[in-house]
Amino acid sequence: MKKVVFTAVTSVLLFGNAFAQDTKVEAAHIASPNQYQLLLENEEVTVLKMTLKPGEQDNWHKHNAETVYFEKGGKATITTSEKDMTLEIPDGYVMWHDQWEHQVKNVGDTTITAIIVEKK
C-alpha cells in the first residue's frame, strides 16, 4: 500500500514542477493564512506549518523547492493546472520537490498537519 502512495505523491510532484512559472501566484502563507502559519523566515528558508481540517482546502498558491514532513497524514486531493490526484498520505511521510503551484483539499475525516521548509 505504501508503495502506491509514494508513487502517486511522486507523480503529482513531478507534474507540478512545470507550473511554478507564474510569479503572480502568492506563497502559501500569504494566499491561505488560515491554513499556513509562518514559523520562521530568514535569508535561506521559510518554515511553515500547514493545518487542513476535514473538508477544508487552501487557496491556489506556490512553493519554492521544499521539504514537507507530514506530522499527521490523511486523505487529500492535490490540484495542479494539469490534473487532480487524491492521495492517502501516511503519518510521518517526508517528501521533497522543486517549486510548484497547486491547491490542496482535505477529503478525509482527520486533520492533516505538516511542517514545510522552503528554500528561498
Side-chain angles (χ1 to χ4, degrees):
M1 178 73 174
K2 285 187 179 183
K3 286 184 181 181
V4 172
V5 171
F6 298 152
T7 301
V9 171
T10 301
S11 296
V12 169
L13 300 177
L14 291 175
F15 285 112
N17 289 345
F19 311 114
Q21 303 304 317
D22 185 354
T23 57
K24 296 177 185 176
V25 176
E26 295 179 311
H29 65 291
I30 304 299
S32 299
N34 293 330
Q35 290 81 32
Y36 294 87
Q37 177 187 0
L38 179 63
L39 300 178
L40 172 73
E41 185 169 25
N42 61 32
E43 306 79 37
E44 301 294 325
V45 297
T46 299
V47 181
L48 305 172
K49 180 171 184 173
M50 180 195 77
T51 304
L52 277 176
K53 297 175 185 169
E56 189 174 36
Q57 71 180 24
D58 56 19
N59 295 314
W60 190 264
H61 62 277
K62 67 179 179 178
H63 292 281
N64 290 330
E66 65 179 344
T67 299
V68 182
Y69 165 67
F70 287 90
E71 291 179 301
K72 185 73 176 158
K75 189 173 184 179
T77 298
I78 300 174
T79 301
T80 68
S81 61
E82 288 275 311
K83 64 180 177 176
D84 294 348
M85 183 173 285
T86 300
L87 309 168
E88 290 281 350
I89 303 165
D91 293 353
Y93 182 66
V94 178
M95 66 181 188
W96 178 91
H97 60 85
D98 207 353
Q99 73 180 138
W100 66 323
E101 296 176 11
H102 65 276
Q103 183 176 33
V104 182
K105 181 173 184 177
N106 183 340
V107 295
D109 56 6
T110 61
T111 298
I112 299 171
T113 59
I115 301 298
I116 302 165
V117 181
E118 288 187 41
K119 184 178 178 182
K120 285 285 190 135

